[in-house]
Amino acid sequence: MANETAPDAAKSVIIEPFGEAGGREISLYTLTNKAGMMARITNYGGILTHLFAPDADGRFADVVLGYDTLQDYIDNSPYFGALIGRYGNRIGGASFTLDGKTYALVKSQGENTLHGGKTGFHGVVWDAVPFVADNGQGLTLSHVSPDGDEGFPGTLSVSVTYFLSDNNELQIDYKATTDKATPVALTQHAYFNLSGDLGSPITGHLLRLEADRFTPTDETQIPTGDLAPVKETPFDFRRLRAIGEEIDASDEQLSHGAGYDHNFVLNRKGKGLELAAEVEEPKSGRRMEVLTTEPGVQFYSGNFLDDSYRGKGTVFGKRTGFCLETQHFPDSPNQPDFPSTILKRGDTLRSQTLYRFSTVKNRR
């Protein structure tokens, strides 16, 4: 349900109890900016549980799918709003070879590893430190993943900072170090629905991706190693167009994901923040831009959501949410031609993604 007026900007981050997991108390942290935008994050899985953004008439509504209780996230969540690691997306055969040694990972999707294994970063309790700055509010989460965690080598120390600025930008900064070479690929798995009606289809949202190529996959959604042009395919989102325009077209790649669930190769010019995607919802007038330092973005159109996912007073059925997961490419440890995801001892991984919200004239 939409809030008719903006909530009052808080002078400090609001902290509320949110249950217990792993023998630890879990909290819910509410960040609020001066414009009235609000984000709620829990230290269980680093989950973004709510994100209130204004429509073209100034009315606020939650624009991310999620649950009302911690137990629902624990029991039945398709990574709603969670931080993902050690490795976002898939690693084929649940194994890779590094420096002459082969590592067997925990299988979490058939014969492959998805999103870090069965207990990836989406299922751990993070240490949390909220803070207030001159131009917004933030939350820094930290976690130490031990050597051998889900089969990955090295003790990995990770921090992720969420920052909600007064410019209606949700910025996410990732940092990681290791004591042994290891693959690392971190991302955020929010499911967005900019209409504010979280049970409605997202196929009418307009999407543009800053990508001339994508990475085709086999039937288990592991990349073939090719970088295929999007031109004259259903994957061509170089202009703003409806997500549903060709989502059910007869196409081998679409059949592998039952719709869009693919990595797009971004047309990067440098190493800083660059535009990756923009989305508009015609009725509400909400607009979201995604900027990142990453080389790719996984566009997932919520094809496997079904009536078993119920929260926030609604049912999250098929294609009621979409994800734009900024990332390095899937299966990079097994794909020598892809950008490397190996973090070495003495090096520091730094990555940044920004979700910028604004409005456009309603396209009713």
Side-chain angles (χ1 to χ4, degrees), residues 47-50 62-67 73 80-81 189-193 197-199 202 305 312 314 316-317 320-322:
I47 295 169
L48 175 68
T49 64
H50 300 77
D62 192 1
V63 296
V64 294
L65 276 58
Y67 290 126
Y73 284 107
F80 280 148
H189 209 300
Y191 286 72
F192 294 98
N193 187 323
D197 177 1
L198 300 180
I202 49 80
L305 295 174
K312 300 182 178 180
T314 192
F316 305 128
T320 55
F322 68 89

Side-chain angles (χ1 to χ4, degrees), residues 55-90:
D55 66 9
D57 298 318
R59 294 175 297 189
F60 282 73
D62 192 1
V63 296
V64 294
L65 276 58
Y67 290 126
D68 301 302
T69 70
L70 174 63
Q71 199 60 47
D72 283 329
Y73 284 107
I74 295 172
D75 291 343
N76 185 35
S77 179
Y79 309 98
F80 280 148
L83 293 178
I84 303 297
R86 287 187 182 194
Y87 199 96
N89 219 306
R90 298 167 176 86

Side-chain angles (χ1 to χ4, degrees), residues 116-180:
K118 290 190 180 297
T119 308
F121 291 173
H122 61 281
V124 303
V125 181
W126 296 68
D127 294 325
V129 178
F131 63 93
V132 176
D134 290 340
N135 61 331
Q137 298 185 349
L139 180 72
T140 296
L141 302 170
S142 58
H143 173 67
V144 177
S145 174
D147 186 17
D149 192 8
E150 298 292 299
F152 288 93
T155 299
L156 187 74
S157 299
V158 181
S159 70
V160 180
T161 297
Y162 287 97
F163 185 73
L164 180 63
S165 80
D166 292 335
N167 295 322
N168 284 359
E169 296 172 341
L170 181 65
Q171 180 173 309
I172 308 172
D173 290 280
Y174 305 87
K175 180 181 177 181
T177 58
T178 181
D179 64 359
K180 187 188 298 184

Side-chain angles (χ1 to χ4, degrees), residues 84-97 102-117 149-153 182-186 218 220-223 327-335 338 341-342:
I84 303 297
R86 287 187 182 194
Y87 199 96
N89 219 306
R90 298 167 176 86
I91 295 179
S95 68
F96 64 92
T97 300
T102 298
Y103 294 89
L105 306 175
V106 173
K107 298 176 181 178
S108 54
Q109 189 183 59
E111 294 300 307
N112 304 319
T113 296
L114 173 67
H115 293 335
D149 192 8
E150 298 292 299
F152 288 93
T182 188
V184 184
L186 308 175
D218 64 18
T220 69
Q221 295 182 273
I222 298 299
Q327 61 179 14
H328 267 61
F329 301 170
D331 199 37
S332 289
N334 297 314
Q335 302 281 354
F338 285 2
T341 56
I342 303 302

Side-chain angles (χ1 to χ4, degrees), residues 1-2 37 48 50-57 59-65 168 170 190-208 240 243 277-290 316 319-324 355-360 362-364:
M1 293 256 330
M37 195 168 169
L48 175 68
H50 300 77
L51 186 62
F52 289 87
D55 66 9
D57 298 318
R59 294 175 297 189
F60 282 73
D62 192 1
V63 296
V64 294
L65 276 58
N168 284 359
L170 181 65
Y191 286 72
F192 294 98
N193 187 323
L194 302 186
S195 73
D197 177 1
L198 300 180
S200 65
I202 49 80
T203 46
H205 284 56
L206 307 178
L207 170 69
R208 189 180 77 82
L240 204 63
I243 289 173
E278 54 185 329
V279 188
E280 293 181 12
E281 201 288 307
K283 293 183 179 179
S284 69
R286 289 188 181 89
R287 184 170 189 265
M288 181 177 78
E289 297 169 279
V290 184
F316 305 128
R319 297 175 181 162
T320 55
F322 68 89
C323 303
L324 289 169
Y355 297 93
R356 177 183 293 152
F357 290 85
S358 59
T359 58
V360 295
N362 297 34
R363 299 179 185 270
R364 291 187 177 95

